[in-house]
Structure formats: structure tokens, C-alpha cells
Amino acid sequence: MSVQKIMSKKIVTVELDDSLAVVREIFDNLKFHHLLVVESGKLIGVVSDRDLLKAVSPNLGTISATLKDEATLNKRVHQIMTSKLFTLKPEAAISDAVNLFNMHKISCIPVVDNEFRPLGIVSWRDILKAVAVGDEPESNAGLPPDLQPR
């Protein structure tokens, strides 16, 4: 099975100079854990909800928040994004995604076309869902033996 069959096609993108306030609003209002950073339509980075949590003050939204705490929301996406990307093409096997997750400390894999435009995103949750519903023998063809449903 290819990653195209399990990837999330609903992606949200941000740009390099978007503020962390914009990123925070997206994460607060949508059920996403990763935003893809694009420039001229091409993927150049990823921002996770964990990246945001590390970059902003933990005092935000509390009574003890200061102007300095609030100013952390003025940082820009390019200051916190991950630019060392591991990507896959849509036709890549799920086992390729599993190998990337196992070899690198990443929580998502953007799926891109030949021009590096984002088409979707694969998370470890997508792989677990595919394994959980993988009752049909052909749907498990690309999974390593240790991920085959029993």
C-alpha cells in the first residue's frame, strides 16, 4: 500500500514570516498537530504544536503573563520551524514511512510532488489506523512483518 492511500490530504500551510500568534490560532481552532511551511508553493519546513509550545512563554493566558510573555507570539515561523525535512512521494510504500519514523526523531512526513509542492502529510497515527483496519491481505502488503496485524 502506498502512503497516498493513508496520508491526510487536508493540510494547512503557513509562510516564513507568519507570526506565532497565527500559528497558535490555527492550532487552537483546528485539529492539526503539524503545519507545513511553504514559500512560493514549495515546502521548506514544518512547524509542530510541540515546536510552538517550546517557543512561547508558558505564562501566556495566565494572570501572571507579562508583556514580555505576550511578545513571544511576535516571533516568526522561520525562527522555530524544522527545515531539515524527510519527505516521501505519494507512491512510496508505507514501509518507507515506517523506516523514516524509526530512523529519525520526527512526528510527521510531508508527501510532496516532483516540484516539492505539498500534497499531504503522514503521521504515525495514520500508519496505526491503516494497520488497525488492515483486515484485507492486500492492504498490508507494504508493512514490515512486525507491523502486520495478527
Side-chain angles (χ1 to χ4, degrees):
M1 181 186 326
S2 68
V3 295
Q4 184 173 23
K5 293 187 180 193
I6 67 163
M7 72 182 185
S8 300
K9 294 179 179 112
K10 290 183 180 180
I11 55 172
V12 176
T13 62
V14 291
E15 297 192 3
L16 288 170
D17 285 328
D18 284 340
S19 70
L20 296 192
V22 169
V23 171
R24 183 179 182 207
E25 185 175 335
I26 292 169
F27 283 138
D28 285 349
N29 293 312
L30 301 173
K31 299 292 182 197
F32 289 104
H33 298 282
H34 303 93
L35 300 175
L36 301 182
V37 184
V38 296
E39 185 174 51
S40 301
K42 295 187 183 205
L43 180 69
I44 58 169
V46 174
V47 174
S48 72
D49 52 359
R50 285 180 259 158
D51 295 330
L52 178 67
L53 285 173
K54 288 182 216 171
V56 297
S57 171
N59 294 328
L60 285 176
T62 69
I63 196 161
S64 61
T66 66
L67 289 176
K68 186 177 179 180
D69 295 323
E70 296 290 332
T72 61
L73 290 173
N74 294 330
K75 289 181 186 175
R76 301 296 166 182
V77 167
H78 67 85
Q79 294 176 282
I80 70 162
M81 73 179 198
T82 299
S83 56
K84 183 179 180 185
L85 299 175
F86 298 95
T87 63
L88 290 171
K89 300 286 188 223
E91 60 276 2
I94 292 177
S95 60
D96 295 329
V98 170
N99 288 336
L100 281 176
F101 283 122
N102 285 334
M103 292 184 336
H104 306 284
K105 192 176 181 180
I106 55 175
S107 57
C108 76
I109 303 168
V111 180
V112 297
D113 65 13
N114 290 333
E115 280 79 48
F116 228 64
R117 293 181 301 233
L119 302 172
I121 193 167
V122 174
S123 70
W124 58 268
R125 284 184 177 97
D126 296 322
I127 292 173
L128 289 176
K129 286 178 196 172
V131 170
V133 298
D135 295 334
E136 304 158 49
E138 66 186 38
S139 67
N140 297 312
L143 294 177
D146 59 332
L147 289 179
Q148 293 284 338
R150 299 179 206 278

Short mmCIF file of all heavy atoms in Angstrom, two decimals, residues 20-33 35 49 52-53 56 60-61 73:
data_model
loop_
_atom_site.label_atom_id
_atom_site.label_comp_id
_atom_site.label_asym_id
_atom_site.label_seq_id
_atom_site.Cartn_x
_atom_site.Cartn_y
_atom_site.Cartn_z
N LEU A 20 3.88 33.70 15.32
CA LEU A 20 3.47 32.56 16.14
C LEU A 20 2.05 32.74 16.67
O LEU A 20 1.39 31.75 17.01
CB LEU A 20 4.46 32.33 17.28
CG LEU A 20 5.87 31.96 16.85
CD1 LEU A 20 6.69 31.46 18.04
CD2 LEU A 20 5.89 30.95 15.73
N ALA A 21 1.57 33.97 16.70
CA ALA A 21 0.17 34.20 17.07
C ALA A 21 -0.75 33.54 16.05
O ALA A 21 -1.76 32.92 16.41
CB ALA A 21 -0.11 35.70 17.17
N VAL A 22 -0.40 33.64 14.77
CA VAL A 22 -1.18 32.99 13.71
C VAL A 22 -1.11 31.47 13.87
O VAL A 22 -2.12 30.77 13.78
CB VAL A 22 -0.66 33.42 12.31
CG1 VAL A 22 -1.26 32.57 11.21
CG2 VAL A 22 -0.95 34.90 12.08
N VAL A 23 0.08 30.95 14.11
CA VAL A 23 0.27 29.51 14.29
C VAL A 23 -0.55 29.02 15.48
O VAL A 23 -1.24 28.01 15.40
CB VAL A 23 1.76 29.18 14.47
CG1 VAL A 23 1.98 27.73 14.87
CG2 VAL A 23 2.52 29.50 13.18
N ARG A 24 -0.48 29.75 16.57
CA ARG A 24 -1.23 29.38 17.78
C ARG A 24 -2.73 29.36 17.50
O ARG A 24 -3.44 28.45 17.93
CB ARG A 24 -0.91 30.35 18.91
CG ARG A 24 -1.59 30.01 20.21
CD ARG A 24 -1.20 31.00 21.27
NE ARG A 24 -1.79 30.66 22.54
CZ ARG A 24 -2.06 31.55 23.47
NH1 ARG A 24 -1.77 32.83 23.29
NH2 ARG A 24 -2.59 31.18 24.61
N GLU A 25 -3.22 30.34 16.78
CA GLU A 25 -4.65 30.40 16.46
C GLU A 25 -5.07 29.19 15.62
O GLU A 25 -6.12 28.59 15.85
CB GLU A 25 -4.96 31.70 15.71
CG GLU A 25 -6.44 31.88 15.45
CD GLU A 25 -6.76 33.22 14.83
OE1 GLU A 25 -5.98 34.18 15.01
OE2 GLU A 25 -7.79 33.30 14.14
N ILE A 26 -4.24 28.81 14.67
CA ILE A 26 -4.55 27.64 13.83
C ILE A 26 -4.60 26.39 14.70
O ILE A 26 -5.55 25.60 14.62
CB ILE A 26 -3.51 27.49 12.70
CG1 ILE A 26 -3.66 28.63 11.69
CG2 ILE A 26 -3.68 26.13 12.01
CD1 ILE A 26 -2.53 28.73 10.68
N PHE A 27 -3.59 26.19 15.53
CA PHE A 27 -3.57 25.00 16.38
C PHE A 27 -4.73 25.00 17.38
O PHE A 27 -5.28 23.94 17.68
CB PHE A 27 -2.25 24.87 17.13
CG PHE A 27 -1.11 24.37 16.29
CD1 PHE A 27 0.14 24.94 16.40
CD2 PHE A 27 -1.27 23.32 15.40
CE1 PHE A 27 1.21 24.47 15.63
CE2 PHE A 27 -0.22 22.84 14.63
CZ PHE A 27 1.03 23.42 14.75
N ASP A 28 -5.11 26.17 17.88
CA ASP A 28 -6.22 26.25 18.83
C ASP A 28 -7.56 25.95 18.18
O ASP A 28 -8.46 25.41 18.83
CB ASP A 28 -6.28 27.65 19.47
CG ASP A 28 -5.20 27.86 20.52
OD1 ASP A 28 -4.52 26.89 20.90
OD2 ASP A 28 -5.02 29.03 20.93
N ASN A 29 -7.72 26.30 16.90
CA ASN A 29 -9.02 26.18 16.25
C ASN A 29 -9.19 24.96 15.35
O ASN A 29 -10.32 24.63 14.98
CB ASN A 29 -9.32 27.44 15.45
CG ASN A 29 -9.51 28.64 16.36
OD1 ASN A 29 -10.24 28.58 17.33
ND2 ASN A 29 -8.80 29.72 16.07
N LEU A 30 -8.10 24.33 14.98
CA LEU A 30 -8.18 23.17 14.10
C LEU A 30 -7.54 21.97 14.78
O LEU A 30 -6.72 22.11 15.67
CB LEU A 30 -7.48 23.45 12.77
CG LEU A 30 -8.02 24.64 11.97
CD1 LEU A 30 -7.14 24.92 10.77
CD2 LEU A 30 -9.46 24.39 11.54
N LYS A 31 -7.90 20.81 14.35
CA LYS A 31 -7.37 19.57 14.96
C LYS A 31 -6.12 19.10 14.23
O LYS A 31 -6.02 17.96 13.81
CB LYS A 31 -8.44 18.47 14.93
CG LYS A 31 -9.67 18.82 15.71
CD LYS A 31 -9.38 18.86 17.19
CE LYS A 31 -10.65 19.16 17.96
NZ LYS A 31 -10.41 19.60 19.29
N PHE A 32 -5.16 19.98 14.06
CA PHE A 32 -3.90 19.66 13.40
C PHE A 32 -2.77 19.70 14.42
O PHE A 32 -2.82 20.47 15.38
CB PHE A 32 -3.57 20.67 12.29
CG PHE A 32 -4.46 20.55 11.09
CD1 PHE A 32 -5.47 21.46 10.87
CD2 PHE A 32 -4.26 19.54 10.16
CE1 PHE A 32 -6.29 21.36 9.77
CE2 PHE A 32 -5.08 19.43 9.05
CZ PHE A 32 -6.09 20.34 8.85
N HIS A 33 -1.75 18.88 14.18
CA HIS A 33 -0.57 18.89 15.04
C HIS A 33 0.66 19.39 14.29
O HIS A 33 1.71 19.60 14.89
CB HIS A 33 -0.28 17.49 15.58
CG HIS A 33 -1.38 16.96 16.43
ND1 HIS A 33 -1.58 17.35 17.73
CD2 HIS A 33 -2.38 16.10 16.16
CE1 HIS A 33 -2.63 16.74 18.22
NE2 HIS A 33 -3.13 15.97 17.29
N LEU A 35 1.95 21.99 10.85
CA LEU A 35 1.69 22.94 9.76
C LEU A 35 2.88 22.87 8.82
O LEU A 35 4.03 22.80 9.26
CB LEU A 35 1.55 24.36 10.32
CG LEU A 35 0.43 24.59 11.33
CD1 LEU A 35 0.49 26.01 11.87
CD2 LEU A 35 -0.92 24.31 10.71
N ASP A 49 2.97 21.39 16.86
CA ASP A 49 2.41 22.02 18.04
C ASP A 49 3.44 22.01 19.18
O ASP A 49 3.48 22.94 19.99
CB ASP A 49 1.09 21.36 18.46
CG ASP A 49 1.16 19.85 18.60
OD1 ASP A 49 2.23 19.24 18.36
OD2 ASP A 49 0.12 19.26 18.93
N LEU A 52 5.76 24.97 18.78
CA LEU A 52 5.11 26.18 19.27
C LEU A 52 5.18 26.25 20.80
O LEU A 52 5.52 27.29 21.36
CB LEU A 52 3.66 26.25 18.80
CG LEU A 52 2.87 27.46 19.30
CD1 LEU A 52 3.42 28.75 18.69
CD2 LEU A 52 1.40 27.31 18.98
N LEU A 53 4.88 25.14 21.46
CA LEU A 53 4.91 25.13 22.92
C LEU A 53 6.29 25.48 23.47
O LEU A 53 6.40 26.16 24.49
CB LEU A 53 4.46 23.77 23.45
CG LEU A 53 2.96 23.50 23.37
CD1 LEU A 53 2.67 22.06 23.78
CD2 LEU A 53 2.18 24.47 24.22
N VAL A 56 6.92 29.60 22.86
CA VAL A 56 6.16 30.67 23.52
C VAL A 56 6.23 30.52 25.03
O VAL A 56 6.52 29.44 25.56
CB VAL A 56 4.68 30.70 23.05
CG1 VAL A 56 4.59 31.00 21.57
CG2 VAL A 56 3.95 29.44 23.40
N LEU A 60 1.60 32.50 29.03
CA LEU A 60 0.54 33.05 28.18
C LEU A 60 -0.83 32.55 28.63
O LEU A 60 -1.00 31.38 28.94
CB LEU A 60 0.76 32.64 26.72
CG LEU A 60 1.87 33.37 25.98
CD1 LEU A 60 2.04 32.79 24.59
CD2 LEU A 60 1.59 34.86 25.89
N GLY A 61 -1.78 33.47 28.67
CA GLY A 61 -3.13 33.12 29.06
C GLY A 61 -3.36 33.02 30.55
O GLY A 61 -4.44 32.65 30.99
N LEU A 73 4.72 35.73 21.11
CA LEU A 73 3.82 35.45 19.97
C LEU A 73 4.20 36.25 18.73
O LEU A 73 3.67 36.00 17.65
CB LEU A 73 2.37 35.73 20.36
CG LEU A 73 1.76 34.76 21.36
CD1 LEU A 73 0.37 35.24 21.79
CD2 LEU A 73 1.68 33.36 20.77
#
